[in-house]
Amino acid sequence: MDTSPSALLRVFLPKVPFIARTVLWHQLSLSKTSCQWDLRTEITINLIRSLLDSPNPAPLSKTQRWSMKDPGIKGPMWIAKVTLPRPDEDDVRSVLVDAIESLKGADVVYTAPAILPVEAEWTGYRANVRHDRPRLDLSEDQHYQNLMSEVSSPITILYLHGGVHYMMDPSSHRLPVSRLARLTNGRCLSVRYRLSPQDAFPCALLDVFLTYLSLLHPPPGSYHEPVAAKNVVLAGDSAGGNLAFALVQLILEINRSRTIGSLVFHGQPIEFPLPVPAGASSSSPWLDLSRCMPSVLSNVQWDYLPPPDGVDPVSRFPHDKIWPTDPPRGDLYCDLTMLDHPLVSPLAAKDWTKSCPMYFCSGEEMLADEGKAVASVAAKQGVPVVWEQYEAMPHCFPMLLEHLEAGRKGFKNWAAFCAKAGASSNDDDDDDAEARLETKGTWFAAKTCKETAIDVRTLAVCNMEEVAERMGSAIRARMRGKEGEAKILPKL
């Protein structure tokens, strides 16, 4: 992301009158949020809201390019860039396609993606270094060795950045990812998965699946040694949280349908069932791409995300070289027929049995209800689930509002879950993480962060039948609104 002074000046200078008005309304207690937010939070959230909900959005290619601009590497972090090679075999793609087919409820439209090499960044904490200290002039292998010299935990966090599936990059998330590494004393692998709209579902999920298998079974020439699944914790924010829980659901579906046999990965057989990771965690996961749950409207005042347009959320983007796609489609990430597929919207998943422990950090935000539904279903099915919700906080607040106690606590608790879930030693039993983690729900009051226990099993505001009805209704409304764009990529 371009954070140079000139770029920031171009963005924020036209907003000066808006900022002044925000300050005045807050000081006079005229804004609806002034009772719960301090002035800095009010300005931050209102600015982000005004940028995201512009009536004249920039072309997608320009927004994507800006969000992916590398700010450089400096300060207390180790970064080692790697490219994970594609396997010669097609097994990884085949089991993904089989899972998509077995989970679909009706006819769906998608294209099986090509298997490509995946770029990623090993990220670790570099101690005793000023924030302006430049990166050392070393080979990537040497950077990795230096990173590992400061790792004192077996934890490996597989990090998936957010960005609505079409923005951001590992380079935009280096600060929070390196912070997770510091707080867990572990290391992170941050994935540069393919972005939409150029690469539609399931391209990103295939990249993430390949990366997970590469951790467990390193391809030739890898820097890392094999990582035990019981030491791998998935983490992601927003759309990255979507991919984290979609990966868990993918592994569960593979294991449900394949109890014997193996897939071949870089010439080596990987036996079924596949091991699930030690945990799946997210800050504000986006689990419903249909945006059908009540909180997308009821929690608008505490959030900065654009309110949903149930009929046509995509035509507002101006035409450019990446949008609309050819042939066109009604959603940036996938065909409209896929929006209620469990690997696109994990909210639709009915079976989380045998999942790894889960962690959810949510604000009083627009995506809260979809997280509640998934957490509740999983907890009822015996999965250890930690649910934490913070009053009056917006989407991904631990990464945006570090000046607040809620922001600091939310991030530290997220890291603490990762540390606890992935801390198994070689001598520990495979079920050790589940023994260490118990289902627990907590509501944190605004400003004070006073804690109130809540029952995770009763969090959901809708049962699964109502969820399915809501999702179906939202999809049908979008198909009616953009009937031509609902007929997209060639059917597999």
Side-chain angles (χ1 to χ4, degrees):
M1 184 181 298
D2 189 354
T3 57
S4 64
S6 59
L8 294 176
L9 189 63
R10 287 194 300 271
V11 171
F12 292 113
L13 188 59
K15 299 290 184 180
V16 170
F18 174 82
I19 294 172
R21 185 170 65 252
T22 299
V23 172
L24 179 62
W25 279 58
H26 180 85
Q27 297 294 75
L28 296 176
S29 299
L30 295 175
S31 71
K32 295 180 179 179
T33 53
S34 60
C35 60
Q36 303 287 29
W37 289 352
D38 63 5
L39 178 58
R40 180 175 172 180
T41 300
E42 188 108 41
I43 293 174
T44 300
I45 301 309
N46 283 336
L47 267 177
I48 297 174
R49 183 185 291 146
S50 70
L51 293 171
L52 293 180
D53 199 23
S54 170
N56 299 302
L60 284 174
S61 59
K62 181 178 180 180
T63 302
Q64 188 179 87
R65 188 169 58 252
W66 177 80
S67 74
M68 296 174 68
K69 188 169 182 179
D70 195 329
I73 302 169
K74 61 182 179 180
M77 66 177 74
W78 291 109
I79 301 292
K81 301 177 182 179
V82 295
T83 299
L84 305 172
R86 67 175 304 279
D88 293 332
E89 308 85 8
D90 195 50
D91 293 27
V92 173
R93 183 174 73 158
S94 295
V95 296
L96 169 61
V97 170
D98 288 349
I100 294 172
E101 289 294 311
S102 62
L103 284 170
K104 71 178 184 181
D107 288 340
V108 295
V109 180
Y110 68 99
T111 296
I115 308 175
L116 298 179
V118 178
E119 295 181 358
E121 292 186 355
W122 281 108
T123 306
Y125 178 63
R126 185 181 174 194
N128 304 315
V129 170
R130 299 190 314 271
H131 287 273
D132 59 351
R133 180 79 175 269
R135 190 188 193 212
L136 297 176
D137 185 14
L138 302 170
S139 69
E140 299 300 333
D141 181 40
Q142 289 173 316
H143 279 292
Y144 180 76
Q145 298 305 323
N146 282 329
L147 181 157
M148 289 302 297
S149 70
E150 298 199 40
V151 170
S152 60
S153 163
I155 298 163
T156 296
I157 294 175
L158 178 56
Y159 196 87
L160 309 169
H161 67 81
V164 211
H165 291 301
Y166 74 88
M167 293 191 299
M168 303 301 181
D169 182 80
S171 65
S172 64
H173 280 61
R174 285 178 186 144
L175 286 175
V177 175
S178 62
R179 189 179 174 197
L180 278 176
R182 175 176 63 85
L183 291 173
T184 59
N185 297 311
R187 58 181 175 173
C188 304
L189 185 62
S190 186
V191 185
R192 182 169 288 116
Y193 57 82
R194 280 174 279 183
L195 299 178
S196 60
Q198 304 98 309
D199 294 297
F201 172 87
C203 289
L205 184 56
L206 177 60
D207 292 346
V208 172
F209 186 34
L210 184 148
T211 304
Y212 178 68
L213 294 180
S214 296
L215 282 176
L216 276 54
H217 304 275
S222 297
Y223 295 154
H224 68 284
E225 298 296 322
V227 184
K230 63 184 178 182
N231 297 132
V232 178
V233 181
L234 310 180
D237 60 283
S238 193
N242 171 287
L243 289 171
F245 288 101
L247 177 60
V248 173
Q249 188 59 218
L250 170 62
I251 295 170
L252 295 177
E253 179 57 28
I254 291 171
N255 291 346
R256 285 189 288 260
S257 59
R258 299 169 184 259
T259 56
I260 59 173
S262 62
L263 66 84
V264 182
F265 187 68
H266 293 288
Q268 300 298 318
I270 302 177
E271 300 295 328
F272 298 121
L274 299 179
V276 296
S281 64
S282 181
S283 175
S284 301
W286 186 22
L287 303 175
D288 171 29
L289 271 64
S290 75
R291 304 193 74 188
C292 73
M293 297 297 277
S295 60
V296 298
L297 295 176
S298 61
N299 289 352
V300 166
Q301 76 177 56
W302 304 115
D303 216 339
Y304 54 80
L305 297 177
D309 183 337
V311 176
D312 180 15
V314 294
S315 67
R316 69 189 187 95
F317 294 110
H319 288 211
D320 68 349
K321 62 183 180 181
I322 66 172
W323 186 260
T325 52
D326 183 19
R329 64 174 180 267
D331 189 85
L332 298 178
Y333 185 58
C334 65
D335 180 49
L336 294 178
T337 61
M338 295 294 298
L339 287 179
D340 60 351
H341 192 285
L343 299 183
V344 172
S345 295
L347 171 66
K350 298 177 181 178
D351 188 0
W352 292 98
T353 307
K354 298 184 179 180
S355 169
C356 57
M358 299 177 174
Y359 172 84
F360 299 81
C361 177
S362 175
E364 197 173 359
E365 58 180 287
M366 295 165 67
L367 307 188
D369 283 352
E370 55 211 64
K372 288 179 179 180
V374 173
S376 180
V377 169
K380 288 177 181 177
Q381 294 173 352
V383 178
V385 177
V386 178
W387 169 270
E388 297 184 346
Q389 187 173 17
Y390 292 73
E391 183 183 15
M393 287 293 99
H395 187 64
C396 290
F397 68 93
M399 304 170 73
L400 293 171
L401 304 175
E402 294 182 46
H403 69 287
L404 296 179
E405 183 181 355
R408 295 189 296 271
K409 183 179 286 290
F411 203 99
K412 288 180 180 178
N413 288 0
W414 184 11
F417 171 88
C418 294
K420 187 175 288 189
S424 295
S425 68
N426 292 333
D427 297 328
D428 290 335
D429 294 332
D430 289 342
D431 294 333
D432 192 57
E434 292 194 17
R436 291 192 302 271
L437 293 163
E438 298 179 351
T439 294
K440 180 182 179 182
T442 309
W443 169 267
F444 295 85
K447 296 185 178 180
T448 65
C449 281
K450 181 180 178 181
E451 300 181 16
T452 302
I454 52 179
D455 186 353
V456 180
R457 296 167 186 83
T458 60
L459 278 175
V461 299
C462 304
N463 61 38
M464 287 305 295
E465 290 75 18
E466 292 168 331
V467 166
E469 183 177 337
R470 281 179 166 273
M471 295 185 85
S473 178
I475 293 168
R476 289 190 295 272
R478 287 180 62 174
M479 286 182 170
R480 288 193 299 269
K482 281 290 169 184
E483 187 173 348
E485 291 188 6
K487 301 170 182 176
I488 63 141
L489 304 175
K491 192 170 183 179
L492 186 68

